[in-house]
Amino acid sequence: MASTLGVAVVGFGWMGRVHTQAYARIAHHYPHLGLRPELILVAEEVPGRAEEAAAQFGFASTTRDWREVAADPRVQAVSITAPNFLHREIGVAMARAGKHIWIEKPVGLTAEDAGAVADAVAGAGVQGTVGFNYRNAPAVEAARELIVSGEIGTVTHVRLRLFSDYAAHPEGALTWRYERARGGSGVLGDLASHGVDLARFLLGDIASLTADTAVFVPERARPTGATAGHSRGGGEPGPVENEDYVNCLLRFDSGARGVLEACRVSVGEQNNYGFEVHGTQGAVFWDFRRMNELGVSRGTTYQDQPVSTVYVGPGAGEYGAFQPGAANAMGYDDLKVVEAYRFLRSIAEDTPYGTTLTDAVRSAAALEAMTRSAATGTWVDLA
């Protein structure tokens, strides 16, 4: 019989809901996992939101103060889905209280913040998983296997793109995401952090980089009440304090080169995320909007070598936990179920699975290097 694990969710916006739904689906997709999450406590400071979450999802208790989660002996694991400026304080407190944590990227406002949470997790001997969900796509894991096995030869260069229109509307509210003090960086922490994680997952560590950033919507209306997601409307205008766009050149430890481009105000683009990895004998292509497919070119013809569409199936990553055969679609929420499973498996086996706080620290260091490079116009080395 499976043991139960008391879990809490801190911050119940859209991502808090996604985490909660992922916990609820664990038993459906991973019936043999010897650990079952039990929804104990939801913490949300917006009046009424925690109560609504409890009524819909079955949390045993609610609170408006996340500190009650740290003090609650019923809770062994915590999802931290609060805004970025709270990540460090909450993450450190939960780890020191002996709670395992599943925390959303970018883990604070700075690399120092991410490092503080990582140190707290290591010092407490708890598990820490980070929400870099795109590497959980079975097709991405299959692409990594092709690359690591040498199927496309020696990797020469990669291009990663993360384009979205969620901030393109000029009437989008000036939420915490656009403020340095509460959001930190802009598209860097939001989208480019995923790009850095994918780059490292596929090709290894980044040696150096140079970047350029821009703000294209310099002013937005301040919200007049509680917000969720990407709200519109508001009151008095205020300045956007972080970047809408980044373009970055990468050099990897392997000698490969790369381009990473991300934008949150790309009109006409909805979650256009993906990569193209080129090697000396082939290439592999992935588009999040066709999440379960890979474009693969391999062989020794070099010129005019065709690209085949491969539909990943039960042999790729965690695909088999969701679908019985290739070309049956998986979706975004499934990636978070995979993430939840790896978090719980880490706890059950006392061994990290999936993304860890080390990945978050490496990503944050790369984002800070981009910021420095954009300010100075120089290449920046990553230790």
Side-chain angles (χ1 to χ4, degrees), residues 19 69 84 89 118 132 200 224-225 278 287 308 355 363 376 379:
H19 277 228
V69 176
N84 298 352
E89 183 181 10
F132 288 122
R200 293 186 58 251
T224 55
H278 294 267
D287 186 327
S308 300
T355 50
S363 175
T376 62
W379 281 88

Side-chain angles (χ1 to χ4, degrees), residues 5 35 76-80 91 94-95 98-103 117-118 120-130 342-357:
L5 182 80
L35 205 55
Q76 289 92 48
V78 181
S79 279
I80 302 171
M94 295 301 172
K99 319 292 189 188
H100 305 283
I101 65 171
W102 176 13
I103 185 168
V117 179
V121 165
V126 297
Q127 295 297 322
T129 292
V130 181
R342 289 173 174 170
F343 175 46
L344 296 183
R345 185 181 177 190
S346 297
I347 296 169
E349 300 182 18
D350 195 29
T351 300
Y353 289 95
T355 50
T356 66
L357 270 301

